[in-house]
Amino acid sequence: MATPTRKVAVIVGSLRKNSYSSFLARAFTEVAPESLTFQNLEIGDLPFYNEDLETSTPPESWTRLREQIKASDALLFVTPEYNRSIPGVLANAIDVGSRPYGHNAWDKKPGAVISSSISSLGGFGANHHLRQSLVFVNVPTMQQPELYIPNTPERFDNDGNLIDASTRTMLKDAAQAFASWIDRACLR
Ligand code: FNR
């Protein structure tokens, strides 16, 4: 039987044009099995979550994000660490996707988390703060392999190409595990 194609929404927690998080997201898509297709979700234009805007005509970008999440089979979060937690822009996207009450777009979408840092801890704090929110919005998140990518500047060239073979192997193994994780979650 042919392997079903799974649409993965990619949510990058950095707005920087040349962000290492976006480089990592790209590298992941390059080594992922063909059964996974990827769409980057824009989160930089979402107004801050404010329940007063939750009318019959909420901000267009909120509706767009919610529809894109609902249309996906799975979620890949790639985030830097800001002050030992997740960037505000990512927290805002999670809030927007989780509302209005009773219409949580994230619900039951299998997910994976990659965190990174220019220094040595690989964004461990951000990774686990994100996982805490993913529990609440009911995203069954792949446990292993964990992906904390430290010292990012050493791993990419000036064009954002991954030049570190061990990171490539790690991402490839993780992408394969994620594809299996999605298959199992989607069968439920
Ligand atoms: C950082 N950075 C950072 N790094 C880290 O390992 N732990 C941290 O808590 C923080 N905190 C932090 C706060 C803020 C406001 C900024 C702007 C940066 C450094 C961070 O790892 C570095 O800037 C990364 O390059 C950010 O990821 P992108 O934008 O390259 O994806």
Side-chain angles (χ1 to χ4, degrees):
M1 204 169 68
T3 314
T5 301
R6 307 291 191 192
K7 288 181 280 179
V8 180
V10 181
I11 302 100
V12 174
S14 172
L15 302 182
R16 250 166 30 86
K17 188 160 149 271
N18 289 321
S19 96
Y20 293 110
S21 307
S22 63
F23 295 163
L24 271 168
R26 194 175 84 202
F28 188 93
T29 64
E30 285 168 3
V31 297
E34 277 179 12
S35 61
L36 301 186
T37 63
F38 296 90
Q39 179 190 21
N40 286 316
L41 304 194
E42 170 67 51
I43 61 170
D45 63 347
L46 304 171
F48 281 131
Y49 191 77
N50 174 349
E51 223 164 356
D52 293 343
L53 305 181
E54 204 69 271
T55 63
S56 56
T57 53
E60 232 172 81
S61 56
W62 288 10
T63 305
R64 182 201 66 223
L65 182 82
R66 290 162 177 170
E67 286 174 357
Q68 287 174 328
I69 297 166
K70 285 180 187 163
S72 69
D73 296 312
L75 310 161
L76 174 67
F77 295 88
V78 188
T79 188
E81 178 171 273
Y82 277 10
N83 300 309
R84 295 283 181 262
S85 188
I86 60 172
V89 69
L90 179 56
N92 187 49
I94 291 170
D95 294 343
V96 169
S98 70
R99 295 278 151 160
Y101 184 74
H103 298 271
N104 168 21
W106 308 107
D107 190 42
K108 298 190 183 75
K109 305 280 180 187
V113 176
I114 305 174
S115 63
S116 72
S117 168
I118 54 172
S119 61
S120 57
L121 297 182
F124 177 87
N127 193 306
H128 282 262
H129 276 187
L130 177 56
R131 285 171 183 272
Q132 182 171 321
S133 293
L134 295 181
V135 168
F136 189 64
V137 298
N138 203 23
V139 170
T141 305
M142 184 172 74
Q143 305 297 295
Q144 294 292 338
E146 298 159 277
L147 295 162
Y148 315 104
I149 314 293
N151 307 315
T152 40
E154 295 170 12
R155 297 172 199 273
F156 295 92
D157 68 16
N158 289 337
D159 297 319
N161 299 306
L162 183 61
I163 51 171
D164 181 60
S166 66
T167 309
R168 182 173 298 278
T169 303
M170 191 195 307
L171 292 181
K172 190 170 183 184
D173 292 348
Q176 192 59 61
F178 188 36
S180 304
W181 178 252
I182 296 167
D183 284 347
R184 272 177 282 153
C186 288
L187 284 174
R188 271 193 264 129

